[in-house]
Amino acid sequence: MELKGKDTYRIVTSDVLSSSFLTSLISLYQPIMGHLSTILYLTLYSEGINQRNIENHNRLCDIMNINIMDLEVARKKLEEFHLLTTYYHSDNKFNYIYILHAPLSADSFFNNEILCSLLLKALNNRQFELTATKLLNDKVDLNGYDNISVKLANEQVQQKRIDELKINKVKPRYTFTMDETIDFDYDKFLRKVTNLIFPVECRTQENMGIIGKVATLNGISVDNMIIMVGNAISFDDDTFDVEGLKKMAVKYVNLKINAKNIYKSNPFAFLSYKQQGKEVTSVDRTLIEYLSYNMQFSNEVINTLIEFVLKTNENRLPYKYVEKIAGQWAREHITNREMAVAAINKISDNSKVKTKVLPTYVVNEKVDINSLDSDAKADYLKKREELIAKVSKELNDD
């Protein structure tokens, strides 16, 4: 893939490049891969830990004062020595993703025959020995010595475990999987939100999922979601008010319809559009939230269901009826609009086959009511109406 100056990139790197790794990079890797690759590695590292916006390769060329062809050659050298892994996507906002890897330690480098032979070839024998002596001179011969170091006391071990728990608490605990029901720019959100607004302790897998779900359901932008998240944080105990976030969504809901595909609109915009721009009632909002949060339906599935029920129920959304269909769709694992339309067609076909008629013993019962007196006639007609109503209700419930 030919590298172009306008191609964008994102860098993934660790936060700290230790002095030992830096020494290994300069003294061991630089002689065998060249100074441009070394400078590129350091530049990518510096850019990666501070990257906030989408940037292109022209910036790297300007910083290093080289052309795009030299940059590509230097990059491939880093890949050859496993210091860099490169991913490419032609249609993504980031054409390239660069993942930096730490250099091998001096011990590991000198235990690698291929790397050692390349270093020896790049340096003469004297310089090779000098480099090895400098980097391996802290080795001590321990033959004949016993390890008499004092072990950690029980309370120290316990404290160590507590410290580990504290450390694990603040580590990021989320991964973004392919959830078809969520359409939210997590990359942009994490680049823009600060630890002061959204503490690391609150960035759990569950909370991140809720943020994406609320944003998708209500069509909320990244910027507005950052405001909402900040208002949902209790800084006294670093807790995240999930229900409060959901309630705030009413204020920030986006009622703009998706012109390219109306079914990809958020359900509140879709329903408002169906009712000529009128505001969605609290009852209908509760129903839509149930379909999204509880039944885990995508916006497309919810909108398809809403349209079907409105069309077949005189523009009403009966909660029980919607809930009944939703339960069936959940059992059938309906995940997209195509599957939802197929399920609706099946409902329509079944309704055509099953014609609801009263049993013949109700409509064709032969009784000469003219032969009855007025009281008996009124009692017969009342009981007959009750029976018809009862059977009709049973048929409708089916």
Side-chain angles (χ1 to χ4, degrees):
M1 188 62 58
E2 181 183 356
L3 185 63
K4 299 181 180 64
K6 65 180 181 180
D7 289 337
T8 56
Y9 64 87
R10 178 185 175 188
I11 304 168
V12 180
T13 181
S14 58
D15 290 336
V16 178
L17 183 62
S18 68
S19 59
S20 61
F21 287 151
L22 184 60
T23 299
S24 178
L25 177 70
I26 301 299
S27 299
L28 300 178
Y29 283 88
Q30 182 172 232
I32 59 179
M33 66 183 184
H35 68 281
L36 283 183
S37 296
T38 305
I39 296 173
L40 176 59
Y41 183 94
L42 294 172
T43 303
L44 290 175
Y45 176 80
S46 176
E47 290 288 289
I49 61 176
N50 296 295
Q51 187 172 15
R52 295 293 180 269
N53 302 308
I54 297 176
E55 292 155 354
N56 58 43
H57 288 77
N58 286 326
R59 172 174 171 78
L60 293 176
C61 290
D62 291 340
I63 292 175
M64 296 177 62
N65 195 24
I66 60 175
N67 59 48
I68 193 68
M69 292 182 290
D70 289 339
L71 178 65
E72 186 169 23
V73 171
R75 189 204 79 200
K76 290 180 178 179
K77 279 289 184 182
L78 291 177
E79 294 166 356
E80 289 176 5
F81 290 102
H82 307 292
L83 295 176
L84 179 69
T85 300
T86 302
Y87 293 90
Y88 176 78
H89 194 306
S90 59
D91 298 325
N92 204 295
K93 58 184 176 182
F94 294 110
N95 296 131
Y96 289 84
I97 293 181
Y98 294 136
I99 301 179
L100 285 176
H101 307 295
L104 292 177
S105 65
D107 287 342
S108 298
F109 187 96
F110 282 108
N111 284 329
N112 187 305
E113 293 183 4
I114 296 176
L115 292 178
C116 274
S117 63
L118 290 173
L119 183 61
L120 181 60
K121 184 177 180 180
L123 304 174
N124 57 43
N125 289 346
R126 183 177 180 281
Q127 293 298 336
F128 178 87
E129 291 175 3
L130 180 59
T131 298
T133 301
K134 281 185 174 183
L135 300 185
L136 301 177
N137 61 2
D138 59 340
K139 292 297 179 183
V140 178
D141 186 3
L142 298 178
N143 288 333
Y145 288 83
D146 296 323
N147 186 347
I148 62 170
S149 303
V150 177
K151 304 294 183 183
L152 278 173
N154 288 337
E155 60 271 16
Q156 290 175 301
V157 173
Q158 185 64 28
Q159 184 60 45
K160 182 173 181 292
R161 290 174 180 168
I162 293 174
D163 292 341
E164 287 176 349
L165 288 175
K166 290 180 179 178
I167 292 171
N168 288 332
K169 184 180 178 182
V170 301
K171 285 182 177 178
R173 302 187 298 281
Y174 48 84
T175 54
F176 303 126
T177 55
M178 294 300 292
D179 187 340
E180 295 182 355
T181 67
I182 293 179
D183 180 18
F184 183 66
D185 192 342
Y186 281 109
D187 283 337
K188 183 178 180 181
F189 175 77
L190 291 173
R191 286 198 309 272
K192 299 187 73 171
V193 71
T194 65
N195 189 54
L196 183 62
I197 295 175
F198 191 26
V200 175
E201 293 85 350
C202 298
R203 301 184 187 191
T204 63
Q205 182 76 36
E206 180 182 5
N207 288 344
M208 296 298 288
I210 287 293
I211 288 171
K213 193 72 172 177
V214 172
T216 301
L217 178 62
N218 295 274
I220 297 172
S221 67
V222 168
D223 291 335
N224 283 337
M225 181 52 70
I226 290 175
I227 296 173
M228 291 171 56
V229 168
N231 291 331
I233 295 293
S234 172
F235 292 97
D236 294 333
D237 52 3
D238 284 337
T239 56
F240 185 55
D241 185 3
V242 172
E243 294 305 317
L245 185 77
K246 292 178 180 178
K247 291 177 181 177
M248 275 186 275
V250 178
K251 177 181 177 182
Y252 291 93
V253 64
N254 180 9
L255 296 182
K256 184 178 180 181
I257 207 74
N258 187 326
K260 293 183 179 179
N261 186 342
I262 188 174
Y263 297 99
K264 287 187 177 293
S265 307
N266 75 74
F268 301 112
F270 183 84
L271 182 55
S272 177
Y273 171 79
K274 286 292 183 179
Q275 52 197 36
Q276 288 77 48
K278 301 295 190 301
E279 183 179 350
V280 176
T281 66
S282 58
V283 175
D284 288 341
R285 167 171 274 276
T286 301
L287 176 59
I288 291 173
E289 289 178 343
Y290 164 79
L291 296 174
S292 179
Y293 299 141
N294 296 73
M295 304 308 290
Q296 296 294 310
F297 288 145
S298 67
N299 286 357
E300 278 190 318
V301 171
I302 295 173
N303 291 337
T304 304
L305 176 55
I306 288 174
E307 184 178 60
F308 168 69
V309 174
L310 290 176
K311 187 180 296 184
T312 56
N313 285 267
E314 299 178 345
N315 284 323
R316 294 181 296 113
L317 285 175
Y319 197 105
K320 291 294 183 183
Y321 182 60
V322 174
E323 188 178 37
K324 181 178 180 180
I325 297 177
Q328 182 178 349
W329 284 14
R331 290 187 292 272
E332 294 177 359
H333 305 291
I334 305 296
T335 58
N336 54 51
R337 171 164 165 75
E338 290 72 21
M339 297 174 70
V341 170
I344 288 172
N345 291 336
K346 187 164 62 174
I347 294 174
S348 301
D349 292 341
N350 289 340
S351 65
K352 292 176 182 178
V353 172
K354 184 178 179 181
T355 304
K356 295 183 178 180
V357 296
L358 297 177
T360 55
Y361 70 84
V362 175
V363 295
N364 294 328
E365 183 180 3
K366 295 181 179 180
V367 175
D368 185 5
I369 61 174
N370 293 324
S371 64
L372 302 175
D373 59 36
S374 58
D375 291 338
K377 181 178 179 180
D379 184 60
Y380 168 77
L381 291 174
K382 180 180 178 182
K383 288 182 177 180
R384 189 169 186 271
E385 289 175 357
E386 290 176 349
L387 179 59
I388 291 174
K390 179 181 178 181
V391 174
S392 298
K393 184 178 183 301
E394 291 175 353
L395 289 171
N396 289 329
D397 288 342
D398 289 340

